[in-house]
Amino acid sequence: MNTLKIAYIGMGYRGKQLLALTRHIPYFQVTAIADPEAREADYDVPCYNQGGDDYQRMITLHAPQLVFIASPWQLHVTHALYCIQHGCHVALEIKGGLYLHEYQPLIEAAEAGKKKIFPLENTLFRQEILAMHNLVSAGELGEVVYMRGGYRHDLRNLLLDDQGNLGNRKKTESIWRSKFYQQENGDLYPTHGLAPLCLIAGIPRKDRFVRLTTFSSKPAGLYQRIRELGGNPHVPVTQGDVTVTQLETASGTLVSLTHDTTLPRPRSLDFEIQGTKGIWQGEQRRIYLEGKSPHETWEADTAYLQKYEHLYWQQWGEEALRIDTHHEGMDYIMLKALEAEMKQEIPYPADIHDLALWTSVTPLSIQSVAEQRTVPME
Amino acid sequence: MNTLKIAYIGMGYRGKQLLALTRHIPYFQVTAIADPEAREADYDVPCYNQGGDDYQRMITLHAPQLVFIASPWQLHVTHALYCIQHGCHVALEIKGGLYLHEYQPLIEAAEAGKKKIFPLENTLFRQEILAMHNLVSAGELGEVVYMRGGYRHDLRNLLLDDQGNLGNRKKTESIWRSKFYQQENGDLYPTHGLAPLCLIAGIPRKDRFVRLTTFSSKPAGLYQRIRELGGNPHVPVTQGDVTVTQLETASGTLVSLTHDTTLPRPRSLDFEIQGTKGIWQGEQRRIYLEGKSPHETWEADTAYLQKYEHLYWQQWGEEALRIDTHHEGMDYIMLKALEAEMKQEIPYPADIHDLALWTSVTPLSIQSVAEQRTVPME
């Protein structure tokens, strides 16, 4: 049987989820795991847990063809570069890089070694996003003029422990993730909201971003919660509760991107796609198409999305929803898309250049807030 | 019986609506109407229709105590100033002024003559807005951090005639309103979205705007529609389809304001109020209050809004919904609020200074787009 030897670096919350799903796909043969906390008894494959660099021994000994990297953010590029330089393809968890231009050595190494880097941005694979991509490509919304999206997800419980201490939940991403909230102020996590918008509008293939400007509210949400939990209300927090980034494209499309992770709220990606012939609101799962919908009246998007159902979901939708109940099938579809790419059947819809573009919003937004000005994106 | 002599300047679409409603309120005695097209046979009161200045004769002859001004935008301040200088209070239709600092003579004249100017911003009087004002004042959302609102209303049918000619619907606001779309690029109509947000967050009484930045998409919506209708696709259009203005307050609250009037869509004011203890989405009529709502789950806002129902709606809500079916009661409540103010019973919730602040968004946003920069608001 045609199989692929894979390995994992990073076995936190996300690594565990992906591992469980890859084990449902016979093509992926899990050969080893590297994580300082991983125990063989838990995973039934060799675990490389002798410190932070033990993943290198794993790569040497197992020579996996594809490595899934789900380590803390600040290690993503280091780990990816090592894997690429040692002959592996890489599936790179979000968010990927933190700084401008840090992908350049990775891109060069990948090109030199003919290796690929696949961004694991699961929101690209949501059923309604892929269907909207087809619907927009078919011209149903006309010319796209405005788009909105964001990462609006209350992370206070991840960032604070039960006594209101920031960055103190042991052995969780709380430890490293909270540091960004104490040192930065910008869109810390742009890709979940932005990547689908880029896919749908063909950015950067048919249009390109020319500049962005970011605005940030005060940081009040963590303080409120710290006070409620009895923690230290004098701990420094730099990250505003809500940041809004306006991105402008060369063709004149306007994109509003929100980062909103420290206020109490139900989660949302807040998608809206608006064109000269209609509008779709992803959160409300509703659509309005001029001449098709009743005058000025929203319709449920179900019938339209069914008509434009993506090939991925036609093929694997049923099993995706059955197996990946945690993320409404999108992680499973992502892994099947990766399989299809590795088998040279269907190209994966994003690459390292897309990831570099999406993640550049973090450093550029931080710069924009700090300098209170628009910054160029090209 | 205690009554007030009122008159109207401007008997277009809005003037007619307001006239019909004031006639339901015995306190308001309609004495005269000035409009070049108004005929006494239609309105059963003296009509001053001998050209654009005939309103002056009406003021002299009838000496109304309060004048409703619902003329085209560019005449609002001129008409208001004349009325104030001739001893009348003024109820001024939106949008009011067009330029910065043009209210100053009006403010001075009003103060000198002890006359009042009431902005007729009806969205302030929406049932859910007034209830949210109470709910936020009671601290239910905690500290307000982020707000969103806008005027999202497809006006293509008003701006274009049935053959796709811009500004050509005879005897309608099409004639004058379309000129702004051919000469400006900014938020042309900010008050419907902004005024309620200001009311709820206590701007400028408890907080103040310090700057704004506006972004504008390409203008593609009118062109699309003109082509469909067979009009001239080479007509100049300057106004972008979607403008987004970011307003920042001194306390660190961030406000996103949208103007979106030339794309096909169901109308929306797109309200969202987000604080350290919860969030409300007006379009979806849903709310999430930490510790009250089920974890990360939206609730219908009905019960909360009922609890915080505003005095106005307690008193007049039933008759408002019965009499003012066109605007869900808000115009009627607005007129009753005006009556209560004139009788010195309940203060009207906005004045000329509020109107000056709200409408300043138009010239400042146009400047911000043109110069691609942030502009100060104080």
Side-chain angles (χ1 to χ4, degrees):
Chain A
M1 188 191 171
N2 183 7
T3 61
L4 195 77
K5 284 170 64 181
I6 67 169
Y8 275 86
I9 301 176
M11 198 42 61
Y13 166 75
R14 274 301 282 166
K16 287 189 182 75
Q17 283 183 329
L18 292 170
L19 175 69
L21 289 174
T22 46
R23 284 185 157 162
H24 280 280
I25 301 174
Y27 177 70
F28 294 120
Q29 292 297 310
V30 183
T31 60
I33 290 169
D35 186 297
E37 304 289 338
R39 301 286 169 264
E40 202 167 315
D42 294 331
Y43 300 109
D44 211 21
V45 290
C47 286
Y48 292 79
N49 48 26
Q50 307 300 309
D53 288 338
D54 210 22
Y55 72 91
Q56 299 180 354
R57 203 161 54 96
M58 173 181 79
I59 302 295
T60 306
L61 290 174
H62 292 269
Q65 293 162 282
L66 172 67
V67 180
F68 284 80
I69 298 176
S71 48
W73 296 350
Q74 64 273 23
L75 299 172
H76 281 178
V77 172
T78 305
H79 288 163
L81 186 59
Y82 187 89
C83 293
I84 289 289
Q85 286 169 335
H86 291 79
C88 314
H89 299 294
V90 163
L92 187 56
E93 183 48 54
I94 298 308
K95 64 178 238 180
L98 297 173
Y99 310 106
L100 285 178
H101 313 304
E102 70 172 314
Y103 290 108
Q104 202 48 43
L106 193 53
I107 290 168
E108 286 166 16
E111 283 173 359
K114 293 193 168 33
K115 295 298 163 197
K116 288 184 172 164
I117 299 153
F118 305 103
L120 295 178
E121 178 41 70
N122 58 13
T123 60
L124 285 178
F125 300 92
R126 288 180 78 94
Q127 186 165 19
E128 72 274 21
I129 290 297
L130 286 167
M132 276 308 295
H133 175 40
N134 283 346
L135 183 146
V136 169
S137 301
E140 291 270 25
L141 291 188
E143 189 178 348
V144 171
V145 173
Y146 179 66
M147 301 194 294
R148 181 155 90 181
Y151 184 62
R152 312 190 73 176
H153 185 179
D154 176 6
L155 300 180
R156 293 171 307 154
N157 197 39
L158 180 155
L159 298 168
L160 299 172
D161 69 14
D162 296 346
Q163 287 71 46
N165 301 305
L166 189 53
N168 199 45
R169 284 203 188 273
K170 305 295 182 221
K171 297 186 182 179
T172 71
E173 64 187 297
S174 174
I175 309 295
W176 53 267
R177 194 162 181 154
S178 64
K179 291 198 179 7
F180 295 98
Y181 290 74
Q182 299 203 266
Q183 292 164 4
E184 311 289 4
N185 190 7
D187 190 323
L188 298 180
Y189 206 56
T191 73
H192 281 350
L194 187 58
L197 300 181
C198 289
L199 178 73
I200 288 168
I203 298 168
R205 287 158 188 78
K206 294 187 291 183
D207 196 3
R208 64 184 201 284
F209 290 128
V210 292
R211 55 181 172 267
L212 68 70
T213 320
T214 302
F215 304 86
S216 190
S217 77
K218 63 187 140 193
L222 285 173
Y223 287 124
Q224 170 75 33
R225 192 69 182 148
I226 288 168
R227 284 194 303 270
E228 283 166 8
L229 294 169
N232 172 15
H234 303 296
V235 66
V237 175
T238 53
Q239 173 65 33
D241 290 322
V242 179
T243 74
V244 178
T245 300
Q246 303 295 337
L247 301 105
E248 297 168 88
T249 77
S251 88
T253 298
L254 183 61
V255 177
S256 297
L257 187 71
T258 307
H259 181 268
D260 162 15
T261 62
T262 44
L263 294 171
R265 61 166 300 137
R267 65 192 72 178
S268 163
L269 296 174
D270 208 10
F271 288 124
E272 181 173 291
I273 317 282
Q274 190 170 16
T276 54
K277 295 183 177 180
I279 179 169
W280 177 68
Q281 292 188 330
E283 180 74 8
Q284 282 72 49
R285 296 299 306 270
R286 64 190 189 179
I287 194 166
Y288 177 74
L289 297 183
E290 181 156 56
K292 295 186 179 175
S293 307
H295 182 64
E296 271 201 55
T297 305
W298 291 105
E299 293 185 274
D301 66 7
T302 322
Y304 295 101
L305 297 199
Q306 217 151 31
K307 178 175 171 190
Y308 287 100
E309 187 175 44
H310 193 275
L311 180 66
Y312 288 156
W313 279 85
Q314 289 174 19
Q315 291 185 342
W316 312 311
E318 183 277 322
E319 65 202 65
L321 291 173
R322 179 165 40 82
I323 293 168
D324 177 17
T325 50
H326 180 71
H327 269 155
E328 299 161 67
M330 63 182 168
D331 279 336
Y332 184 82
I333 296 286
M334 177 173 76
L335 295 172
K336 292 296 286 184
L338 195 46
E339 177 186 13
E341 154 83 37
M342 294 304 299
K343 289 176 168 173
Q344 298 189 299
E345 290 167 354
I346 314 172
Y348 195 80
D351 63 23
I352 181 69
H353 299 284
D354 295 297
L355 183 60
L357 176 65
W358 308 331
T359 56
S360 72
V361 169
T362 296
L364 294 175
S365 67
I366 289 169
Q367 184 190 353
S368 177
V369 170
E371 300 176 4
Q372 283 193 18
R373 68 177 184 93
T374 298
V375 295
M377 289 189 75
E378 44 178 17
Chain B
M1 187 191 173
N2 185 4
T3 61
L4 196 76
K5 283 171 63 181
I6 67 169
Y8 275 86
I9 302 176
M11 199 40 61
Y13 166 74
R14 274 301 281 165
K16 286 190 182 75
Q17 284 183 330
L18 292 171
L19 176 68
L21 289 174
T22 45
R23 285 187 157 164
H24 280 279
I25 301 173
Y27 177 69
F28 294 120
Q29 293 296 309
V30 183
T31 59
I33 290 170
D35 186 296
E37 305 288 340
R39 300 284 168 267
E40 201 166 317
D42 294 332
Y43 300 108
D44 212 20
V45 290
C47 286
Y48 292 78
N49 48 25
Q50 308 300 310
D53 288 340
D54 208 23
Y55 71 92
Q56 299 179 357
R57 203 161 53 99
M58 173 180 81
I59 302 295
T60 307
L61 291 175
H62 293 270
Q65 293 163 281
L66 172 68
V67 181
F68 284 80
I69 298 176
S71 48
W73 296 351
Q74 63 272 23
L75 300 172
H76 282 178
V77 173
T78 304
H79 289 164
L81 186 59
Y82 187 90
C83 293
I84 289 290
Q85 286 169 335
H86 290 79
C88 316
H89 298 294
V90 163
L92 187 55
E93 182 49 55
I94 297 308
K95 64 177 231 175
L98 298 172
Y99 311 106
L100 285 178
H101 312 305
E102 70 172 313
Y103 290 108
Q104 201 48 43
L106 193 53
I107 291 169
E108 286 166 16
E111 283 173 359
K114 293 194 168 34
K115 295 298 162 195
K116 288 184 173 166
I117 299 153
F118 306 102
L120 295 178
E121 177 42 70
N122 59 11
T123 61
L124 285 178
F125 300 92
R126 289 181 76 93
Q127 185 164 20
E128 72 274 20
I129 290 297
L130 287 167
M132 277 308 295
H133 175 40
N134 282 347
L135 183 146
V136 169
S137 300
E140 291 271 24
L141 291 187
E143 187 178 349
V144 171
V145 173
Y146 178 65
M147 302 194 293
R148 182 155 90 183
Y151 184 63
R152 310 189 75 176
H153 184 180
D154 177 4
L155 299 180
R156 293 171 307 153
N157 198 40
L158 180 154
L159 298 168
L160 300 171
D161 69 13
D162 295 346
Q163 287 71 47
N165 299 306
L166 190 53
N168 200 46
R169 283 202 188 274
K170 306 294 182 220
K171 298 187 183 180
T172 71
E173 63 186 295
S174 174
I175 309 295
W176 53 267
R177 194 161 180 156
S178 64
K179 292 199 180 6
F180 295 99
Y181 290 75
Q182 300 203 267
Q183 292 165 5
E184 310 291 2
N185 189 8
D187 191 323
L188 298 181
Y189 205 57
T191 71
H192 280 351
L194 187 58
L197 300 181
C198 289
L199 177 74
I200 289 168
I203 298 168
R205 286 158 188 78
K206 293 188 291 184
D207 197 2
R208 65 184 200 282
F209 290 128
V210 291
R211 55 180 171 268
L212 68 72
T213 320
T214 303
F215 304 86
S216 189
S217 78
K218 62 187 142 194
L222 285 174
Y223 287 124
Q224 171 74 34
R225 192 69 183 149
I226 287 169
R227 284 194 302 270
E228 284 167 9
L229 294 171
N232 171 16
H234 303 297
V235 68
V237 175
T238 51
Q239 173 65 32
D241 290 321
V242 179
T243 73
V244 179
T245 300
Q246 302 295 337
L247 301 106
E248 297 167 87
T249 78
S251 88
T253 298
L254 183 61
V255 177
S256 298
L257 186 71
T258 306
H259 180 268
D260 163 15
T261 60
T262 44
L263 294 171
R265 61 164 301 136
R267 65 193 70 178
S268 163
L269 296 174
D270 208 10
F271 288 124
E272 181 174 292
I273 315 281
Q274 190 170 17
T276 54
K277 294 183 178 180
I279 178 169
W280 177 68
Q281 293 187 329
E283 179 73 9
Q284 282 72 49
R285 295 298 307 268
R286 62 191 189 179
I287 195 166
Y288 176 75
L289 295 182
E290 180 156 56
K292 294 187 178 173
S293 306
H295 183 63
E296 272 200 55
T297 304
W298 290 107
E299 294 185 274
D301 65 9
T302 323
Y304 295 101
L305 297 200
Q306 217 151 31
K307 179 176 172 190
Y308 288 100
E309 188 175 42
H310 193 275
L311 181 66
Y312 287 157
W313 279 84
Q314 289 174 20
Q315 291 186 340
W316 312 310
E318 184 276 323
E319 65 202 63
L321 291 172
R322 179 163 43 79
I323 293 169
D324 176 18
T325 52
H326 180 72
H327 269 157
E328 298 162 65
M330 63 182 169
D331 278 335
Y332 184 82
I333 296 286
M334 178 174 76
L335 295 172
K336 291 296 286 183
L338 195 46
E339 177 187 11
E341 154 82 36
M342 294 305 299
K343 290 176 169 172
Q344 298 189 298
E345 290 167 355
I346 314 172
Y348 196 79
D351 61 22
I352 182 69
H353 299 283
D354 295 296
L355 183 61
L357 176 65
W358 309 331
T359 56
S360 73
V361 169
T362 296
L364 294 175
S365 68
I366 289 169
Q367 183 189 355
S368 177
V369 169
E371 300 176 4
Q372 284 193 17
R373 69 176 184 91
T374 298
V375 295
M377 289 188 75
E378 44 176 19

